[in-house]
Amino acid sequence: MKRTKKERQNLLKQTIEDMPFITDEELARKFEVSIQTIRLDRMELSIPELRERIKSVAANQWNETVKALPIDEVIGEVIDLDLDKRAISILDISEEHVFSRNKIARGHHLFAQGNSLAVAVIDDELALTARAEIKFTRQVKQGERVIAKAAVIGNDSKGRTSVQVNSFVDNEKVFSGEFLMFRSNHQKGESANEDSD
């Protein structure tokens, strides 16, 4: 049964409230209408586009909690953050991130997304990467969205924190890394450049 415009817009509003990071494309499929119709509905309902919704949520969380780096130094957009526990960021792969000849993302952008998320999740004003073990599991192309998920997995005997980051495109893992992070509150008397493993 076809919904009226009012019914669709009410459902659209509720859907976005429940899932603020849903894309216009996903909404169009869900409601079986064109992307243009979704955009017009959002405009009529004064619902901002996805990028603005992400920025609004991230900025609120960021200003209240993050310590290790300013928001403009994170690669990707942080959409969830629980210090010393977990964090999630989104990176939309655009022309600036890819090789011009094949439209495949340069690896350092995926690394930077993961590394900056590992820094951001640390509850410390100074968090530095001591070591990283990374793996790229598939190529990422222009137009794809990379969702990076960081989880703090423990501390070593020197008080350094291990952070596991896995990045996905449509639930397929494209990057994984384990980052060993120095913290200023555990560095008294030892150099951040020492690595005596």
Side-chain angles (χ1 to χ4, degrees), residues 18-142:
D18 293 341
M19 297 183 290
F21 306 116
I22 192 168
T23 66
D24 286 351
E25 290 78 4
E26 289 166 331
L27 288 165
R29 285 196 297 272
K30 180 179 176 65
F31 290 101
E32 298 178 339
V33 295
S34 69
I35 292 172
Q36 188 61 30
T37 297
I38 293 295
R39 288 177 181 152
L40 289 169
D41 282 348
R42 276 197 301 95
M43 285 172 61
E44 287 183 27
L45 295 167
S46 299
I47 298 172
E49 65 177 2
L50 175 65
R51 186 166 296 278
E52 293 306 313
R53 298 199 300 271
I54 290 171
K55 281 181 181 171
S56 172
V57 171
N60 290 339
Q61 286 191 339
W62 207 268
N63 294 334
E64 292 169 13
T65 57
V66 86
K67 294 182 180 180
L69 77 173
I71 193 164
D72 60 358
E73 291 181 14
V74 177
I75 307 303
E77 297 186 62
V78 176
I79 61 169
D80 188 30
L81 179 65
D82 189 354
L83 287 175
D84 276 342
K85 292 183 182 173
R86 61 183 170 75
I88 300 173
S89 73
I90 290 174
L91 179 63
D92 288 317
I93 302 301
S94 61
E95 191 173 0
E96 69 187 277
H97 301 117
V98 301
F99 293 106
S100 58
R101 67 182 183 279
N102 54 23
K103 306 303 181 190
I104 291 171
R106 295 179 173 95
H108 67 265
H109 292 295
L110 300 182
F111 172 80
Q113 180 188 19
N115 187 52
S116 62
L117 195 61
V119 172
V121 78
I122 301 295
D123 187 9
D124 196 313
E125 289 180 5
L126 177 65
L128 300 171
T129 305
R131 192 176 66 226
E133 294 179 20
I134 64 170
K135 185 190 292 185
F136 298 94
T137 49
R138 93 142 162 86
Q139 295 171 337
V140 178
K141 296 178 180 154
Q142 185 173 332

